[in-house]
Amino acid sequence: MYPLLDTINSPTQLRELDQKQLPQFAKELRDFLVESVAKTGGHLSSNLGTVELTVALHYIFNTPQDQLVWDVGHQTYAHKVLTGRRNGMSKLRMQGGVAGFPRRDESEYDAFGTAHSSTSISAALGMAVAAQLEGTDRRAIAIIGDGAMSAGMAFEALNNAGVMDTNLLVVLNDNDMSISPPVGALNNYLAKLMSGRFYATARRAGEKVLKVVPPVLELAKRAEEHVKGMVTPGTLFEEFGFNYIGPIDGHDLDVLVTTLSNIKNLDGPQFLHVVTRKGAGYKVAEENPILYHGVGKFDPAEGIIPKPAGKPAYTQVFGDWLCDMAAKDSRLIGITPAMREGSGLVRFSKEYPDRYFDVGIAEQHAVTFAAGLACDGLKPVVAIYSTFLQRAYDQLIHDVAIQDLPVVFAIDRAGLVGADGPTHAGSFDLSYLRCIPNMIVMAPADENECRQMLYTAFQLDSPTAVRYPRGVGTGAEIQEEMQALPVGRGEISRQGNKVALLAFGSMLAPCLAAAEALDATVANMRFVKPLDDDLVASLAASHDLIITVEENTILGGAGSAVAESLNSQQISVKLLQLGLPDVFIDQGDHAQMLADCGLDKDGIIKSVQSHL
């Protein structure tokens, strides 16, 4: 089926091909990716855009001795296929299968795990310095793109790398996109600057150029006059101390191979600017790269066919609430760090464009930007994944919490996230939020409670977080009317005997199911901070065993809050804490992952009976 691809299982075998065979090999590889991802789901358009670049890098460089650091990590499917994992792609992002991102424990060709973004230049620089200290000629190559250049960390690394005499190659995969449409002053400036100024070798690169170079114009300013005098994007990177080459067409293998071969013989920090098309070679993905960024299973011949609307996911519940709340209060400002689609802000961005801010992949900036808005009387809502908020922890503490500013954090993807695995799991937010003074932390048990909690958070004059899981909930009827909940108060959802299950957030449903078999009391705790101490004391006084259940790490989480409450009230009662174990939980089916952690109905029953 694939005459060339079927014979290649390693970069070593790839390098035995004649250069004239590479275009055919790239076409087979691209066709395989479409066929494979259509069966498993996964990231598609970003991977189709890096096929030729991946082939050229492995063809020229002596991988794995030469180290490729991919950034962002969801553009590495072609890399995985080329490095002996083609058969494993049938279980892509499944339990026991190939991960959707580079993982050091998966292959020697995965030099560095990169599932977030903007870390590649720092990591590759470390590898380049290590090679220099060891006296080896090993090369370190950072391939950065898909919006990753919009984060400050990338420029911190460039600033450091440019003054080091190391053999570092940075490849900017400029694919006209991040996950959401690109933003920023410098981005717009360079787009205008370079239109019509391609090298001849970039003849097939498309009309729009340089749409992912980041919104950080100030970093380019050595003086206002100097910036006004910039004539090519290379000036910016050369000011950092790099030898700039490009832009070149990232789909022209002859140009890529020749250019990379020449660069391989150069010493010092090199910067190669490559222009690619997201979704290249698959027409529907080229036309709608956002739709085909992350896909489920589909028919490659027909493309993605929209499914009838079912129960609204938590993300949609948030997006609808945001628009409804914005209609009631003109102070509301919506902020996202480059996750408009993923966080449910598409409708808000269209209905309230003047109050919508996509700040790029810059979580730290997003939080401090929100703090600045709050200082002047506005009511910012930061829509962010739990795993990405970790990147702005210092700003959360210093810029928001210490100043007790009314910023609402709508924290999506809390708990386990299934196929995206441990790098994207929201396993720690209850632990890292509840230890911060001035923070109020809520966990809704269903979709309607999520809407009411968001409204509650918006009414408060302090930093507040509402954390909710990925996907759909219980299907609870959502009340259009919004009412504030009493802060720090839970409620009894089922009355039973001897055993009390204290459920936090998404764990209410399995606790209620387990309680039928156990004849247990179930409390929907609602608030992790402030905790309902009175409810905890009441349940401890009337039950023999207290069990806390949360989709968060047990260490320092909601169960720990209950233990602290019992201790401070000098209450002695048997306590069992159920939650995520002290390990990074691998990718898989979400329901199965919960079952493996003992957080489904059967697991809860088994834990209680075993403890009793």
Side-chain angles (χ1 to χ4, degrees):
M1 184 178 180
Y2 299 108
L4 287 179
L5 182 63
D6 288 343
T7 67
I8 305 298
N9 290 304
S10 71
T12 300
Q13 293 174 318
L14 173 70
R15 291 189 279 269
E16 293 174 357
L17 294 179
D18 187 281
Q19 185 175 330
K20 294 179 181 179
Q21 296 176 286
L22 296 183
Q24 178 188 340
F25 178 81
K27 182 182 184 305
E28 293 180 15
L29 179 54
R30 177 173 280 107
D31 291 344
F32 172 82
L33 288 178
V34 173
E35 179 183 315
S36 178
V37 175
K39 295 176 181 177
T40 63
H43 293 94
L44 183 60
S45 55
S46 56
N47 283 289
L48 296 180
T50 58
V51 169
E52 287 82 8
L53 178 58
T54 303
V55 170
L57 286 166
H58 280 293
Y59 191 72
I60 292 301
F61 289 97
N62 184 29
T63 55
Q65 179 181 346
D66 291 332
Q67 297 166 300
L68 304 181
V69 181
W70 294 90
D71 185 5
V72 289
H74 62 230
Q75 59 179 338
T76 55
Y77 292 3
H79 162 79
K80 287 175 180 279
V81 172
L82 267 175
T83 54
R85 288 168 276 182
R86 178 156 52 102
N87 292 335
M89 294 295 286
S90 62
K91 293 191 68 178
L92 176 70
R93 303 167 78 241
M94 302 177 193
Q95 190 171 28
V98 173
F101 309 97
R103 287 183 56 163
R104 282 171 50 83
D105 60 359
E106 184 177 283
S107 171
E108 62 179 337
Y109 290 93
D110 290 0
F112 196 78
T114 50
H116 282 183
S117 82
S118 316
T119 58
S120 60
I121 302 176
S122 298
L125 177 60
M127 294 171 184
V129 170
Q132 186 178 53
L133 294 174
E134 294 165 3
T136 68
D137 61 355
R138 184 177 68 244
R139 293 281 171 153
I141 303 102
I143 306 100
I144 185 167
D146 212 23
M149 281 293 288
S150 65
M153 184 175 177
F155 281 81
E156 293 173 18
L158 285 174
N159 186 55
N160 187 210
V163 298
M164 293 189 181
D165 187 23
T166 56
N167 293 330
L168 170 69
L169 169 59
V170 175
V171 179
L172 171 59
N173 172 30
D174 182 355
N175 64 6
D176 199 39
M177 290 292 295
S178 53
I179 298 173
S180 298
V183 294
L186 181 59
N187 163 71
N188 294 332
Y189 168 75
L190 292 178
K192 295 176 183 178
L193 184 70
M194 288 305 297
S195 52
R197 298 180 69 90
F198 273 125
Y199 287 2
T201 53
R203 57 189 178 277
R204 296 200 305 269
E207 295 181 0
K208 292 184 180 180
V209 188
L210 299 175
K211 290 287 189 178
V212 294
V213 182
V216 281
L217 184 57
E218 291 300 318
L219 285 174
K221 287 187 177 181
R222 303 299 170 123
E224 183 178 359
E225 294 76 17
H226 173 70
V227 173
K228 290 180 179 178
M230 290 177 69
V231 293
T232 69
T235 304
L236 170 62
F237 301 110
E238 286 175 353
E239 287 289 352
F240 279 111
F242 282 78
N243 176 40
Y244 174 87
I245 300 164
I248 66 171
D249 183 356
H251 300 295
D252 189 323
L253 273 162
D254 287 338
V255 171
L256 282 169
V257 168
T258 300
T259 304
L260 288 171
S261 181
N262 291 336
I263 290 175
K264 187 177 180 180
N265 296 318
L266 298 177
D267 293 328
Q270 310 293 322
F271 193 101
L272 174 62
H273 185 170
V274 175
V275 178
T276 62
R277 292 187 304 280
K278 204 168 183 180
Y282 186 44
K283 186 177 179 181
V284 290
E286 287 188 29
E287 293 173 348
N288 197 339
I290 296 176
L291 177 64
Y292 284 83
H293 171 74
V295 300
K297 299 177 182 180
F298 68 97
D299 184 342
E302 297 184 4
I304 297 174
I305 299 175
K307 296 180 180 179
K311 294 187 296 185
Y314 278 99
T315 298
Q316 182 182 335
V317 171
F318 163 72
D320 291 342
W321 168 82
L322 192 68
C323 292
D324 294 345
M325 195 69 243
K328 294 177 178 294
D329 195 324
S330 61
R331 297 175 299 163
L332 185 148
I333 305 294
I335 302 169
T336 176
M339 294 300 293
R340 183 184 68 173
E341 286 74 22
S343 291
L345 276 79
V346 174
R347 178 186 160 198
F348 180 81
S349 70
K350 295 176 180 179
E351 294 185 9
Y352 298 95
D354 293 341
R355 290 194 266 162
Y356 164 76
F357 295 92
D358 181 346
V359 301
I361 303 179
E363 294 87 358
Q364 293 168 291
H365 165 60
V367 172
T368 304
F369 172 55
L373 290 166
C375 282
D376 276 6
L378 297 177
K379 297 280 285 188
V381 178
V382 180
I384 192 167
Y385 288 10
S386 172
T387 184
F388 297 147
L389 182 56
Q390 294 164 183
R391 307 184 73 172
Y393 195 58
D394 183 69
Q395 287 69 30
L396 177 62
I397 294 174
H398 283 260
D399 301 335
V400 175
I402 287 179
Q403 302 185 94
D404 199 19
L405 294 171
V407 176
V408 175
F409 294 92
I411 304 176
D412 201 344
R413 270 60 167 184
L416 300 175
V417 292
D420 282 337
T423 57
H424 282 60
S427 304
F428 311 109
D429 55 82
L430 294 185
S431 301
Y432 71 67
L433 288 173
R434 59 173 291 265
C435 64
I436 303 175
N438 295 329
M439 285 295 303
I440 293 174
V441 184
M442 302 180 230
D446 58 38
E447 298 91 328
N448 181 59
E449 197 164 77
C450 183
R451 179 177 173 87
Q452 307 310 326
M453 283 186 176
L454 288 164
Y455 179 75
T456 303
F458 193 78
Q459 307 309 310
L460 299 175
D461 196 29
S462 60
T464 310
V466 179
R467 62 102 70 172
Y468 45 90
R470 181 179 189 173
V472 298
T474 62
E477 181 180 353
I478 300 173
Q479 300 173 5
E480 184 175 347
E481 182 181 358
M482 294 180 282
Q483 295 182 333
L485 302 175
V487 176
R489 293 298 177 191
E491 64 176 9
I492 299 297
S493 297
R494 184 190 189 279
Q495 188 66 55
N497 295 290
K498 295 185 178 181
V499 174
L501 297 169
L502 278 59
F504 291 87
S506 60
M507 291 292 97
L508 179 63
C511 282
L512 286 171
E516 292 299 321
L518 297 167
D519 188 24
T521 296
V522 178
N524 174 16
M525 296 303 294
R526 288 181 167 172
F527 287 81
V528 178
K529 185 180 184 181
L531 189 71
D532 192 339
D533 293 318
D534 292 339
L535 181 56
V536 170
S538 173
L539 291 171
S542 56
H543 294 78
D544 298 332
L545 175 63
I546 299 293
I547 300 149
T548 62
V549 191
E550 61 189 301
E551 195 174 348
N552 183 86
T553 182
I554 294 174
L555 301 182
S560 295
V562 172
E564 292 161 12
S565 175
L566 291 168
N567 184 61
S568 66
Q569 298 183 77
Q570 298 183 337
I571 298 173
S572 179
V573 66
K574 290 182 180 179
L575 174 66
L576 174 62
Q577 295 167 240
L578 301 181
L580 302 181
D582 187 26
V583 295
F584 290 109
I585 301 171
D586 213 348
Q587 66 200 28
D589 174 75
H590 181 250
Q592 184 59 51
M593 295 167 77
L594 288 177
D596 292 343
C597 294
L599 294 177
D600 63 346
K601 169 189 171 183
D602 293 338
I604 294 170
I605 292 173
K606 183 178 179 181
S607 294
V608 172
Q609 291 176 339
S610 175
H611 198 73
L612 288 173

